[in-house]
Amino acid sequence: MNERLLIVEDEEKLARLLADYLKAAGFDVQRLSDGRGVVEWVRQQGPALILLDLMLPGRDGLEICREIRAFSRVPIIMTTARVEEIDRLLGLELGADDYICKPYSPREVVARVKAVLRRTVPPPPATRGSLRLDPDSLRVSAGGQELELTAVEFALLQTLYAAPGRIFSRDRLMDRIYLDHRVVSDRTIDSHVKKLRRKLAELAPGRDLVHSVYGVGYRYEERDPADPDE
Ligand code: CA
């Protein structure tokens, strides 16, 4: 099945050209040219990736990006005609996955889309893992139970869960969750992890899944509850 991408771009010719290239690369492509209605469309259709123009009629790309991030981790590539805008956008920490400056070559955009998808596609469910993570709804389930996480908690769990046993430093986790380094302290990560652990304890009582490694960071590991080695 082809992955569905959304192009939000008000320059008709550009949008069409880009859509052609992406279709040729095997994607299913949808286009929207007005900022209004984008968030709703994304909520309903759940695209695999969004190319989002910054300056749009109706609503600007910044607002749209923020609003989408409140409920979804879908990869977003922001496009802008002003190279100097990119620094500002980076400073805002919108949670976009990449930025592309116009004019761009459609070929370059296709390459970036593929790179972002490769980077962000959730790993296939680990056979030894017992959780199910749904990035679209930010829900995690285990043994018929299900609960909803915040976007930050979900990103943390997704990172740890993708590599069971591997220790992630707080810095690495911060990079993964796209928080602003200037205002985020180690303690912020700790407090998000704490909340995550509390929720996981509800989901899988008696099983310690996210482990703190003193002075280093965190790792995910499932152990037999009967295993005394902890
Ligand atoms: Ca525009």
mmCIF file of all heavy atoms in Angstrom, residues 9-11 53 55-56 102, ligand 1:
data_model
loop_
_atom_site.group_PDB
_atom_site.id
_atom_site.type_symbol
_atom_site.label_atom_id
_atom_site.label_comp_id
_atom_site.label_asym_id
_atom_site.label_seq_id
_atom_site.Cartn_x
_atom_site.Cartn_y
_atom_site.Cartn_z
ATOM 1 N N GLU A 9 0.155 23.641 0.133
ATOM 2 C CA GLU A 9 0.908 24.627 -0.654
ATOM 3 C C GLU A 9 -0.062 25.424 -1.506
ATOM 4 O O GLU A 9 -0.894 24.852 -2.197
ATOM 5 C CB GLU A 9 1.928 23.864 -1.536
ATOM 6 C CG GLU A 9 2.650 24.705 -2.563
ATOM 7 C CD GLU A 9 3.457 25.818 -1.924
ATOM 8 O OE1 GLU A 9 4.430 25.513 -1.229
ATOM 9 O OE2 GLU A 9 3.092 26.996 -2.119
ATOM 10 N N ASP A 10 0.048 26.755 -1.415
ATOM 11 C CA ASP A 10 -0.906 27.582 -2.152
ATOM 12 C C ASP A 10 -0.407 27.963 -3.540
ATOM 13 O O ASP A 10 -1.159 28.518 -4.332
ATOM 14 C CB ASP A 10 -1.269 28.837 -1.346
ATOM 15 C CG ASP A 10 -0.048 29.651 -0.972
ATOM 16 O OD1 ASP A 10 0.945 29.050 -0.523
ATOM 17 O OD2 ASP A 10 -0.083 30.879 -1.126
ATOM 18 N N GLU A 11 0.871 27.683 -3.839
ATOM 19 C CA GLU A 11 1.330 27.938 -5.210
ATOM 20 C C GLU A 11 0.985 26.717 -6.046
ATOM 21 O O GLU A 11 1.647 25.681 -5.963
ATOM 22 C CB GLU A 11 2.836 28.209 -5.236
ATOM 23 C CG GLU A 11 3.205 29.550 -4.627
ATOM 24 C CD GLU A 11 4.709 29.667 -4.390
ATOM 25 O OE1 GLU A 11 5.465 29.489 -5.362
ATOM 26 O OE2 GLU A 11 5.105 29.883 -3.245
ATOM 27 N N ASP A 53 3.649 24.348 3.913
ATOM 28 C CA ASP A 53 4.166 25.669 3.567
ATOM 29 C C ASP A 53 3.929 26.615 4.744
ATOM 30 O O ASP A 53 2.954 26.489 5.472
ATOM 31 C CB ASP A 53 3.428 26.177 2.319
ATOM 32 C CG ASP A 53 4.025 27.476 1.795
ATOM 33 O OD1 ASP A 53 5.234 27.706 2.016
ATOM 34 O OD2 ASP A 53 3.282 28.247 1.166
ATOM 35 N N MET A 55 3.722 30.167 4.598
ATOM 36 C CA MET A 55 2.781 31.248 4.304
ATOM 37 C C MET A 55 1.621 30.708 3.486
ATOM 38 O O MET A 55 1.801 30.336 2.322
ATOM 39 C CB MET A 55 3.480 32.355 3.501
ATOM 40 C CG MET A 55 4.718 32.913 4.191
ATOM 41 S SD MET A 55 4.262 33.999 5.554
ATOM 42 C CE MET A 55 3.922 35.488 4.631
ATOM 43 N N LEU A 56 0.469 30.705 4.102
ATOM 44 C CA LEU A 56 -0.710 30.138 3.437
ATOM 45 C C LEU A 56 -1.891 31.073 3.599
ATOM 46 O O LEU A 56 -1.978 31.798 4.587
ATOM 47 C CB LEU A 56 -1.092 28.817 4.116
ATOM 48 C CG LEU A 56 -0.143 27.636 3.955
ATOM 49 C CD1 LEU A 56 -0.450 26.592 5.010
ATOM 50 C CD2 LEU A 56 -0.282 27.046 2.562
ATOM 51 N N LYS A 102 12.596 27.373 -0.233
ATOM 52 C CA LYS A 102 12.263 27.545 -1.648
ATOM 53 C C LYS A 102 13.188 28.597 -2.264
ATOM 54 O O LYS A 102 13.579 29.521 -1.554
ATOM 55 C CB LYS A 102 10.827 28.033 -1.795
ATOM 56 C CG LYS A 102 9.780 27.070 -1.338
ATOM 57 C CD LYS A 102 8.442 27.770 -1.534
ATOM 58 C CE LYS A 102 7.333 27.039 -0.817
ATOM 59 N NZ LYS A 102 6.095 27.806 -0.829
HETATM 60 CA CA CA B 1 2.830 30.069 0.325
#
